[in-house]
Amino acid sequence: QKEVEQNSGPLSVPEGAIASLNCTYSDRGSQSFFWYRQYSGKSPELIMFIYSNGDKEDGRFTAQLNKASQYVSLLIRDSQPSDSATYLCAVTTPYSGAGSYQLTFGKGTKLSVIP
Amino acid sequence: GAGVSQSPRYKVTKRGQDVALRCDPISGHVSLYWYRQALGQGPEFLTYFNYEAQQDKSGLPNDRFSAERPEGSISTLTIQRTEQRDSAMYRCASSLFGRERSDEQYFGPGTRLTVT
């Protein structure tokens, strides 16, 4: 049973601070890791993905992956009120099903950026 | 270009009725996924198509649920004899290839199904 765990929050940070979102996963065979942002009442929106150990930066966002610890994180620098949303961590395992790269999601962490 | 579209956006049906939910993926996307999302939860996988072939239906909860993608583009998820527990947001996602670890899935707006 593949599991993806996230702290449900809410996580509150002041505007301009760094928001740190964490995710752990149970299946060591998981190969790709995705972060989605979901505003209330909207569909998940892909922020970034990572599949190699280390850091990957894209603008204000940095994804970090540690496969040995089965841990993924997302850092948001210079947090803005518009970043307030639920952040979903998702993983794929290449041998799940007949070749599908289905995403297994965590429950999401609700982030609130306080002006 | 246009994103993933789904219709209807909202569907209210009576228990026991059949419903059909439609997904139109991003043009040229080979892979199509159906997910179901309950309130306060992440999306949960239902089924996967590669072109017109349904290659993974391991997430379908029971045999009342079926899906098809006959021409490798538009897909329909059908729920027969609906029950109240089927009420949820049904989301469709598409990706360009679906067989690469970096393949990105893009989600549609979803269909909110309410069974009364």
Side-chain angles (χ1 to χ4, degrees), chain A residues 10-72:
Chain A
L11 172 67
S12 294
V13 300
E15 184 175 356
I18 295 176
S20 177
L21 303 158
N22 305 315
C23 171
T24 59
Y25 59 96
S26 63
D27 189 339
R28 284 196 173 275
S30 296
Q31 195 171 50
S32 303
F33 308 87
F34 298 79
W35 283 99
Y36 282 82
R37 176 175 61 197
Q38 187 171 27
Y39 291 112
S40 181
K42 301 296 185 183
S43 59
E45 172 192 8
L46 181 65
I47 298 174
M48 61 190 307
F49 67 88
I50 186 169
Y51 51 78
S52 297
N53 274 328
D55 295 359
K56 179 181 179 182
E57 187 174 317
D58 183 0
R60 296 187 296 113
F61 299 96
T62 299
Q64 299 175 317
L65 174 61
N66 184 327
K67 288 188 177 181
S69 301
Q70 296 176 240
Y71 176 88
V72 195

Side-chain angles (χ1 to χ4, degrees), chain B residues 6 21 34-37 46 61 65 77 79 85-92 108-113:
Chain B
Q6 292 185 246
L21 311 180
W34 283 98
Y35 294 85
R36 179 168 67 176
Q37 187 173 19
L46 295 176
F65 288 73
L77 176 69
I79 308 173
R85 59 178 172 158
D86 300 333
S87 296
M89 177 70 82
Y90 289 83
R91 298 196 185 276
C92 173
T111 294
R112 168 72 67 188
L113 175 66

Side-chain angles (χ1 to χ4, degrees), chain B residues 17-37:
Chain B
Q17 297 295 305
D18 298 350
V19 295
L21 311 180
R22 173 186 163 126
C23 172
D24 196 348
I26 294 172
S27 178
H29 276 199
V30 166
S31 295
L32 186 147
Y33 298 80
W34 283 98
Y35 294 85
R36 179 168 67 176
Q37 187 173 19

